[in-house]
Amino acid sequence: MDQAQQLRNIIKGKEQKKKHVARVITITSGKGGVGKSNIAVNLAVQLQRMGKRAIVFDADFGLANVEVMFGTSPKYNLGDMIYKGRNIQDIITKGPRGIEFISAGSGISGLNNLNKDQITFFVNNLSNLDEMADFVLIDTGAGIADSVLDFVIASPEVLLVLTPDPSSLTDAYSLIKALFANPSFKKEQTQIQVVANKVCSQEDGKAVFHKLQAVVDKFLEGNLHFVGMIPRDSAMESAIRHQCPISIDNPGAASSEAFAMLAENLVSGKCNTYIRKKGVMQMFKDFFSRIRDRGI
């Protein structure tokens, strides 16, 4: 074996020993009712179809939209892990087609009050998601509350959900403005991607995006990335009533095909600039640093 081949084998061995890092996407919005949770669960379904393991982390405390959309009640939630010593495998619930999710339960509301040992236990447990998943989709609450901003600021990748409703655009701008004004937010380290929901066509989706981008360009000097649109679809309402993601309930529906395209755009990176993958462990370390910096 020549020296060059030996070197290639050494490099290959080191690469194989590198720890797998999940891609964390925080899904958020400026206001409620725009379809965040619906996008999270359907995106997980489509990623699974692409051979990716996606776990939905329901951080929208109090609403539990993800479990309602899956029609599945979790046996354990994040609170059971924090306060009762359950491990990460215990609190992962399987929904339709084996799609997995974590319910926050009352756990999210108590994150501000954890002691050092509890934080260490929490982060170490969640760090296992880096090995278990290709994607971790964090479904946050809506608006500019600290509980939302903490997740968004800590995340390297944000999926911002918009609708054509003028209030959705206004509230989305307010969220971005709050982010850019926060000294902890590093816009050069965070990719803000936009999906237009409940639109009539691809052109309408892009038009909604450009309205927001124009205002952000003018007043905040920020850069957003359009990654797709989800059309208005009567089949979606039927799927929601069935408590089953449209991507499973009606794979041939226009919205299902749009979700497939959204997943493809996110995986392929065609609509994105470079995304820094820092994984679940680092994301939650940054999350708790953010809480500490606020003096809580």
Side-chain angles (χ1 to χ4, degrees):
M1 183 183 298
D2 61 34
Q3 191 173 27
Q5 183 61 46
Q6 288 178 336
L7 181 59
R8 284 193 291 269
N9 289 341
I10 291 171
I11 293 173
K12 183 179 180 181
K14 288 183 176 180
E15 289 177 343
Q16 289 175 343
K17 291 179 181 178
K18 286 182 180 178
K19 184 178 179 180
H20 180 269
V21 176
R23 184 170 163 186
V24 182
I25 302 178
T26 295
I27 302 172
T28 193
S29 63
K31 68 187 292 285
V34 298
K36 275 188 310 83
S37 299
N38 197 32
I39 286 174
V41 299
N42 280 284
L43 185 54
V45 173
Q46 297 295 346
L47 288 169
Q48 184 197 57
R49 286 181 177 159
M50 297 175 69
K52 309 294 183 181
R53 185 177 181 185
I55 297 176
V56 181
F57 187 108
D58 188 356
D60 193 352
F61 171 63
L63 294 181
N65 282 338
V66 170
E67 60 193 71
V68 171
M69 290 183 174
F70 279 137
T72 305
S73 296
K75 184 176 182 180
Y76 301 111
N77 58 44
L78 196 65
D80 293 302
M81 187 182 79
I82 296 171
Y83 304 113
K84 298 181 181 180
R86 293 286 176 182
N87 62 39
I88 190 67
Q89 287 82 5
D90 291 334
I91 68 168
I92 294 176
T93 302
K94 287 194 175 184
R97 305 287 174 86
I99 302 297
E100 297 168 310
F101 70 95
I102 295 172
S103 173
S106 60
I108 290 295
S109 64
L111 293 184
N112 293 344
N113 304 311
L114 300 186
N115 60 40
K116 184 177 179 180
D117 289 341
Q118 287 174 320
I119 290 174
T120 300
F121 177 77
F122 179 93
V123 173
N124 285 342
N125 253 287
L126 285 188
S127 69
N128 291 311
L129 294 177
D130 277 324
E131 293 290 337
M132 297 167 64
D134 298 302
F135 285 80
V136 175
L137 308 176
I138 300 179
D139 179 22
T140 74
I144 58 174
D146 285 336
S147 59
V148 175
L149 293 180
D150 288 337
F151 276 110
V152 175
I153 289 172
S155 180
E157 189 174 357
V158 178
L159 186 60
L160 178 63
V161 183
L162 281 182
T163 72
D165 186 335
S167 65
S168 174
L169 288 165
T170 302
D171 292 333
Y173 175 75
S174 296
L175 173 62
I176 296 170
K177 183 178 179 181
L179 282 175
F180 282 24
N182 193 296
S184 298
F185 182 71
K186 303 294 187 290
K187 61 183 179 181
E188 70 277 2
Q189 297 180 8
T190 305
Q191 176 92 305
I192 301 180
Q193 302 169 124
V194 177
V195 57
N197 195 25
K198 304 179 183 179
V199 296
C200 295
S201 65
Q202 180 79 3
E203 291 71 27
D204 287 342
K206 288 182 178 179
V208 170
F209 165 76
H210 287 308
K211 286 179 182 178
L212 178 62
Q213 178 67 74
V215 180
V216 172
D217 273 343
K218 183 174 181 180
F219 297 106
L220 301 178
E221 298 182 355
N223 196 21
L224 311 178
H225 305 271
F226 181 70
V227 290
M229 68 87 192
I230 309 298
R232 285 191 176 277
D233 188 354
S234 58
M236 183 86 77
E237 298 174 7
S238 175
I240 291 173
R241 287 196 300 271
H242 295 161
Q243 292 187 303
C244 183
I246 183 69
S247 296
I248 294 175
D249 191 64
N250 190 342
S255 53
S256 295
E257 294 177 354
F259 280 121
M261 182 61 68
L262 174 62
E264 174 63 31
N265 288 343
L266 289 170
V267 170
S268 69
K270 291 179 180 178
C271 298
N272 309 330
T273 56
Y274 175 72
I275 295 171
R276 187 171 59 98
K277 285 176 63 176
K278 62 181 181 181
V280 178
M281 173 179 269
Q282 188 59 53
M283 188 268 183
F284 275 97
K285 282 183 177 179
D286 292 349
F287 172 85
F288 283 108
S289 294
R290 159 78 180 151
I291 292 176
R292 184 189 61 231
D293 290 344
R294 284 198 283 113
I296 294 176

